[in-house]
Amino acid sequence: MSKVRLCFAKEGVASYISHLDLLRTFQRVFIRAGMVIRHSAGFHPHPMMSFVLPLSVGQTSVCELLDFETEEEIDCAALPARLAPCLPLGVRALECHVPERPVRELQYLQALVSMEYDGGVPSGTAEAVRRLLLGEQVVVEKRNKRKQIVDVDIRPMIHTVETEERERFLLLRTVVQAQNPGVNPALLAAAVSRHLPERAPDFIRVHRERLLDGDGSVFR
Amino acid sequence: MDQKLARILPKVQKPARYVGGEYNAVIKDKAAVDFRVAFCFPDTYEIGMSNLGMRILYGVMNNMEGVWCERVFAPWGDMEAALREEHIPLYALESGDRVRDFDIVAFSVGYEMAYPAILNMLELSGIPLHSADRGGLAPIVIAGGTAMYNAEPLADFIDLACIGEGEEELVELLTLCRRAKAEGWDKGRLLREACHIEGIYVPSLYEVRYHEDGTVAAITPKDGAPERVRKRIVQDMDSAHFPVKSIVPSTEIVHDRVTLELFRGCIRGCRFCQAGYVYRPVRCRSKEKLAEYGAAACADSGYQEMTLSSLSTSDYPDLVELCDALEDYCGPHHVTLSLPSLRADNFSMALTERMAKGRKAGLTFAPEAGTQRLRDAINKNLTEKDLMESLTRAFSNGWSAVKLYYMLGLPTETDEDIIGIAEMADHVVHCWREHASNKARGVRITVSTSWFVPKPFTAFQWEPQISREEYERRVKLLREHMTARAVTYNWHDGDTSFLEAVLARGDRRLGRVLERAFEKGAHLDAWQDYFDLGRWLKAFDECGLDPAFYANRERGREEIFPWSVISCGVGDEYLWRERERCYASQTTPDCRTRCSGCGANKMVGGTCDV
Ligand code: SF4
């Protein structure tokens, strides 16, 4: 029996696979690769598999983590190559290891938010965006547990924000709190649209770059 | 990916169905292929990806060197609106290339209600709807599938129809089209050559004249087209392609599992059943091949569910041996086997119990009619005694959910037959009370009735569909008699069944109606979310045609049917005889008991291997 942590990328067309569908897909991927995943005991056994930090549909990532348990011993180093022919397009197995750290030690998420402006980035946007996101308060709308839309301040969850201006888009590289509570980096762009409506982007993309622990080292 | 597309995908429901990239999707090098096929399914991804025929033919075409076959599905309403607004033409999932740039645009048409989606997909692709308005050699628009046994309502739009099973027919057709492309033929020449491939029907090569009263006077072939187009079948199922490597969608679809097709055809001969007649004769795969395919398909796909599919699965001669062989793989690999379309007999029940391994999902039976007299008349070989024996066994073994399917409006049906449905339901409740092993769980009995739609190539192709008022009266009558509290009664929406009855036996004049209805907004009419009969009635009105002429009229023995150029192997003489036996409440034995001489044996060199 092995506990294993797989690091994988989810890019391109695979970014549209939902969380639940990806879980189902991985169950099949392991079967294709001839692996036997451990199942929970009980009347409705379910496979022992979980994503460390689920990714929203449409977002891309090169740092997804999947924890799972197998019935037999697994050669971690050989696993990415073994999984490669079994994966759908856009999902890439990057690296695999026996997890040494519990998920609770994951604290930050580094992401790249690209805000696209079809008519070019309005001048001064980078500056204004930084001022907004690193200011006193960043209030956005969020759905609470009772499915009501409420205002929340996400400023405490924003750690750093850097900007880089290109011709038709503004890149925000941000480090935000990953969990308890975490913030979806897309909300940073939502804050821009709400508080700086004249600088609202035409489209945004979110790309996860790294997962970090409390010291700012890579969490794996 | 197209930037405009990337922008709309986050806004639509279930975007994964519009991007491709699934495991086993076939990607070829564009420079290494000279012929491109856009294989279109005029319904949603979830429905189309569940279709076995589509999986088979995708494999067959992609096995041809130099040919790349890709998939296209009908977008859901939100996606369609977004595509139109952004002027993004319909594209194929594998390459993302525009459908209009393909050599062949092929539609798989299983049911009449998909017709509007065909027009919509052509329009979304920017392809002229009418065959006559597409002058060039590409794209050639073709259609196949069960509904194409009467392709007449689509005659104006498609260039040709493939009748019967596509495995061999399509390869021959593609080979011809590639030659035409290489040698620079014009479209007319291609169509004139194509009509000589067995199973290919080119509607434009037939001239149809009508009598004053609207019935067909004559159908005349032109330019050397054959008098009769005989359906194509695969002779030897063991050498036919089985899609071991099949696309596994990354998002949930309707039939998300391995489908093992045991055999084609059906020995039973239910008189209302189009599939039962047009897929004749029975041709089986060997149990050895099937066991091998089943295991290989599970291992390759990673699916943990397999279904044994055929028109009447329990009629497979070696079913027990096959299940044993499959169990050898499925047991240790935690794959669950399911057996749909079971008969109500002891043998099937024993098998069901074995497969269920403790899971007591619902049981489904289709008595179709409420009295033995009417079941005899439609040649539905199910007795109430068999049903009750099966249920006694099921209830005492812990099953507590039963679904029963019936039709209203079958030829010769009387009020007694309708009330018989309610009585049968009462007997089922009674049986549960007597035999349930666990009464505390309660019982769920669902009775569903549909409105009978007479189809071409059946014993009832001459029959009228009962009028709507009469249908509604019969539903009401049944509701009044359905008194048991444990029974839930569902009845079918009448609008859809009525239109189905119109289109199923339509002639090519319906092309105009279809186009009008499409212009009025009929797009995904196979879905209640979008279907609106009002649009169609207006379209009929504007075209000066009466839908009742098609749905509710009894045809005479001598009438020329719009589909009479097509031959499914079973002759009209036979079907007429079956109709007469219906009126005499006489049954016809199944093919295994005794051949009743339907004519389909000629498709397989003289003798059916039942
Ligand atoms: S020819 Fe006879 S055995 Fe063959 S399908 Fe027809 S009735 Fe059945």
Side-chain angles (χ1 to χ4, degrees):
Chain A
M1 196 189 85
S2 296
K3 283 195 172 191
V4 189
R5 184 167 287 168
L6 172 74
C7 176
F8 65 96
K10 185 170 182 267
E11 298 163 306
V13 294
S15 68
Y16 300 104
I17 305 175
S18 73
H19 172 66
L20 258 177
D21 284 340
L22 191 65
L23 203 64
R24 221 184 331 259
T25 297
F26 265 110
Q27 284 181 38
R28 292 174 186 156
V29 165
F30 290 134
I31 295 172
R32 288 170 203 155
M35 291 158 59
V36 182
I37 298 298
R38 257 196 70 205
H39 280 64
S40 63
F43 202 67
H44 292 291
H46 59 88
M48 304 295 275
M49 276 170 61
S50 63
F51 293 109
V52 166
L53 198 65
L55 184 69
S56 299
V57 176
Q59 301 189 355
T60 55
S61 169
V62 288
C63 58
E64 292 306 286
L65 296 180
L66 173 70
D67 283 353
F68 60 94
E69 295 177 33
T70 61
E71 291 290 359
E72 76 268 48
E73 289 301 317
I74 288 284
D75 175 359
C76 282
L79 196 66
R82 185 172 172 190
L83 295 181
C86 309
L87 291 163
L89 189 67
V91 180
R92 275 185 304 131
L94 300 172
E95 179 266 332
C96 179
H97 59 273
V98 176
E100 282 155 14
R101 310 179 64 177
V103 172
R104 70 183 133 76
E105 289 180 19
L106 161 66
Q107 196 158 350
Y108 298 114
L109 161 67
Q110 177 184 316
L112 197 65
V113 179
S114 78
M115 307 204 297
E116 301 186 4
Y117 295 90
D118 295 344
V121 184
S123 71
T125 299
E127 165 82 65
V129 165
R130 273 199 316 270
R131 224 178 314 130
L132 167 73
L133 297 177
L134 299 172
E136 287 272 292
Q137 258 200 341
V138 183
V139 176
V140 294
E141 285 184 343
K142 244 181 124 171
R143 218 173 267 280
N144 68 8
K145 287 200 184 95
R146 275 176 293 155
K147 304 244 169 195
Q148 293 159 319
I149 294 180
V150 291
D151 273 349
V152 289
D153 178 17
I154 58 168
R155 179 62 188 89
M157 280 97 91
I158 302 175
H159 195 58
T160 64
V161 177
E162 288 162 28
T163 53
E164 190 183 322
E165 205 169 318
R166 300 282 173 80
E167 200 186 317
R168 287 181 187 281
F169 50 96
L170 180 72
L171 290 179
L172 294 187
R173 173 160 286 117
T174 181
V175 173
V176 296
Q177 197 158 299
Q179 52 180 355
N180 307 318
V183 62
N184 185 336
L187 288 177
L188 274 61
V192 172
S193 298
R194 173 159 169 185
H195 300 287
L196 306 170
E198 66 294 349
R199 301 182 194 280
D202 293 301
F203 189 62
I204 67 148
R205 291 168 205 267
V206 177
H207 178 65
R208 275 187 188 173
E209 295 182 318
R210 294 200 296 170
L211 301 180
L212 306 168
D213 63 15
D215 300 331
S217 331
V218 170
F219 175 87
R220 62 193 285 274
Chain B
M1 186 190 299
D2 180 85
Q3 289 308 304
K4 285 198 285 185
L5 187 60
R7 288 216 181 165
I8 60 176
L9 287 172
K11 290 187 247 169
V12 300
Q13 295 172 51
K14 302 189 204 157
R17 52 190 166 165
Y18 303 119
V19 295
E22 308 92 327
Y23 171 74
N24 276 344
V26 176
I27 302 295
K28 293 195 180 186
D29 174 9
K30 274 188 220 178
V33 297
D34 57 54
F35 202 77
R36 308 272 303 267
V37 180
F39 199 8
C40 302
F41 197 88
D43 206 325
T44 61
Y45 179 90
E46 293 88 325
I47 304 281
M49 284 304 298
S50 303
N51 184 277
L52 180 65
M54 190 107 184
R55 294 188 204 176
I56 294 173
L57 297 176
Y58 181 79
V60 166
M61 287 191 269
N62 277 320
N63 279 347
M64 294 175 76
E65 209 173 308
V67 174
W68 188 9
C69 170
E70 303 181 40
R71 296 158 300 148
V72 188
F73 300 94
W76 192 247
D78 58 346
M79 181 63 171
E80 181 193 332
L83 289 172
R84 286 185 186 276
E85 190 175 324
E86 294 298 325
H87 303 286
I88 302 174
L90 204 60
Y91 56 91
L93 290 184
E94 278 75 358
S95 65
D97 289 343
R98 302 184 303 191
V99 171
R100 66 163 170 267
D101 297 333
F102 280 67
D103 296 295
I104 284 186
V105 174
F107 286 94
S108 168
V109 199
Y111 30 89
E112 296 81 10
M113 296 306 286
Y115 292 165
I118 296 175
L119 300 198
N120 195 35
M121 288 173 79
L122 287 174
E123 189 184 89
L124 284 167
S125 304
I127 296 171
L129 298 187
H130 289 254
S131 166
D133 296 335
R134 297 186 300 264
L137 198 60
I140 296 291
V141 177
I142 72 174
T146 316
M148 291 301 95
Y149 278 95
N150 178 22
E152 294 308 292
L154 292 183
D156 294 347
F157 311 107
I158 58 174
D159 296 315
L160 59 87
C162 299
I163 312 299
E165 298 164 8
E167 284 100 330
E168 295 165 7
E169 190 175 6
L170 268 176
V171 172
E172 286 169 32
L173 178 69
L174 261 56
T175 307
L176 184 76
C177 291
R178 286 170 90 183
R179 193 174 139 216
K181 189 180 175 184
E183 296 177 5
W185 298 1
D186 63 20
K187 179 173 162 182
R189 174 159 175 214
L190 171 65
L191 294 181
R192 286 192 301 276
E193 297 272 345
C195 76
H196 297 296
I197 295 176
E198 197 182 340
I200 300 291
Y201 170 57
V202 180
S204 58
L205 295 181
Y206 297 84
E207 193 189 320
V208 185
R209 280 184 300 106
Y210 300 88
H211 289 299
E212 277 291 307
D213 65 5
T215 56
V216 174
I219 306 177
T220 323
K222 295 188 290 194
D223 298 334
E227 295 270 345
R228 256 4 248 299
V229 175
R230 197 166 76 149
K231 81 164 177 212
R232 195 67 179 269
I233 62 166
V234 169
Q235 300 280 338
D236 173 20
M237 286 299 287
D238 273 347
S239 53
H241 178 75
F242 179 87
V244 167
K245 274 191 93 58
S246 193
I247 296 177
V248 182
S250 305
T251 176
E252 226 176 351
I253 58 170
V254 179
H255 297 299
D256 213 2
R257 58 185 85 106
V258 169
T259 304
L260 202 56
E261 184 194 28
L262 309 192
F263 60 95
R264 293 199 184 146
C266 181
I267 59 168
R268 295 288 158 182
C270 297
R271 290 175 179 138
F272 54 86
C273 179
Q274 189 184 38
Y277 288 117
V278 301
Y279 293 142
R280 285 182 179 212
V282 162
R283 286 145 296 141
C284 296
R285 282 195 162 102
S286 68
K287 60 177 185 300
E288 292 78 19
K289 281 255 177 191
L290 284 167
E292 182 190 316
Y293 289 151
C298 287
D300 183 79
S301 63
Y303 276 128
Q304 285 180 295
E305 218 185 309
M306 173 160 42
T307 183
L308 306 187
S309 118
S310 286
L311 288 175
S312 173
T313 302
S314 26
D315 287 329
Y316 183 69
D318 306 315
L319 191 56
V320 172
E321 293 89 333
L322 173 64
C323 288
D324 286 340
L326 288 170
E327 261 309 293
D328 287 344
Y329 179 86
C330 295
H333 290 88
H334 308 287
V335 174
T336 51
L337 263 179
S338 59
L339 302 161
S341 65
L342 278 185
R343 302 176 49 72
D345 55 30
N346 260 320
F347 163 74
S348 304
M349 279 312 297
L351 213 56
T352 304
E353 281 162 13
R354 210 183 109 193
M355 294 303 134
K357 289 196 206 120
R359 291 172 306 121
K360 303 275 155 75
L363 289 171
T364 300
F365 295 101
E368 310 291 5
T371 60
Q372 195 57 45
R373 203 261 336 139
L374 186 52
R375 284 193 297 276
D376 286 346
I378 61 173
N379 208 40
K380 177 78 198 189
N381 186 313
L382 174 144
T383 64
E384 182 158 342
K385 185 169 156 282
D386 284 343
L387 180 69
M388 290 311 157
E389 275 176 17
S390 295
L391 289 175
T392 300
R393 185 169 174 160
F395 290 143
S396 42
N397 285 323
W399 259 277
S400 57
V402 182
K403 286 186 185 150
L404 299 168
Y405 287 95
Y406 297 88
M407 285 189 274
L408 289 179
L410 284 162
T412 77
E413 183 180 64
T414 63
D415 286 1
E416 196 184 319
D417 299 310
I418 297 161
I419 295 164
I421 297 174
E423 285 169 0
M424 243 172 128
D426 286 342
H427 297 167
V428 174
V429 177
H430 186 73
C431 175
W432 176 79
R433 271 202 208 106
E434 296 258 284
H435 300 286
S437 58
N438 181 0
K439 287 210 189 71
R441 282 181 66 187
V443 63
R444 269 180 302 131
I445 297 162
T446 314
V447 170
S448 304
T449 61
S450 61
W451 181 4
F452 171 61
V453 176
K455 295 261 173 149
F457 298 106
T458 65
F460 298 151
Q461 59 181 347
W462 293 273
E463 293 290 332
Q465 184 184 48
I466 57 168
S467 72
R468 168 180 292 260
E469 296 70 42
E470 182 54 23
Y471 169 66
E472 282 164 0
R473 187 192 70 82
R474 294 186 194 187
V475 169
K476 191 161 159 270
L477 179 69
L478 184 50
R479 279 171 66 189
E480 286 163 5
H481 284 80
M482 207 67 95
T483 46
R485 260 198 299 128
V487 182
T488 311
Y489 173 41
N490 301 319
W491 59 98
H492 241 246
D493 157 64
D495 288 355
T496 303
S497 308
F498 173 65
L499 187 62
E500 243 176 62
V502 172
L503 294 173
R505 292 183 294 171
D507 55 38
R508 38 180 87 175
R509 293 175 302 176
L510 290 193
R512 283 190 292 138
V513 178
L514 173 57
E515 197 173 346
R516 283 286 174 105
F518 164 64
E519 287 162 2
K520 294 180 192 307
H523 290 182
L524 263 186
D525 276 19
W527 292 81
Q528 286 303 320
D529 313 47
Y530 296 111
F531 175 60
D532 168 17
L533 184 65
R535 284 196 281 253
W536 287 88
L537 296 180
K538 257 186 241 133
F540 269 102
D541 206 39
E542 287 168 18
C543 296
L545 289 167
D546 176 13
F549 171 83
Y550 297 96
N552 309 116
R553 181 175 60 89
E554 179 175 352
R555 279 77 165 160
R557 175 68 183 95
E558 300 312 317
E559 183 166 331
I560 300 171
F561 290 128
W563 56 88
S564 56
V565 171
I566 307 300
S567 157
C568 76
V570 178
D572 274 350
E573 314 69 45
Y574 177 79
L575 295 172
W576 181 263
R577 217 166 24 180
E578 282 294 295
R579 184 192 191 224
E580 292 190 316
R581 293 177 75 86
C582 161
Y583 279 91
S585 299
Q586 273 173 350
T587 59
T588 296
D590 65 73
C591 295
R592 213 165 272 159
T593 305
R594 196 182 68 228
C595 168
S596 50
C598 76
N601 57 328
K602 291 191 208 80
M603 307 280 319
V604 286
T607 333
C608 297
D609 178 20
V610 292

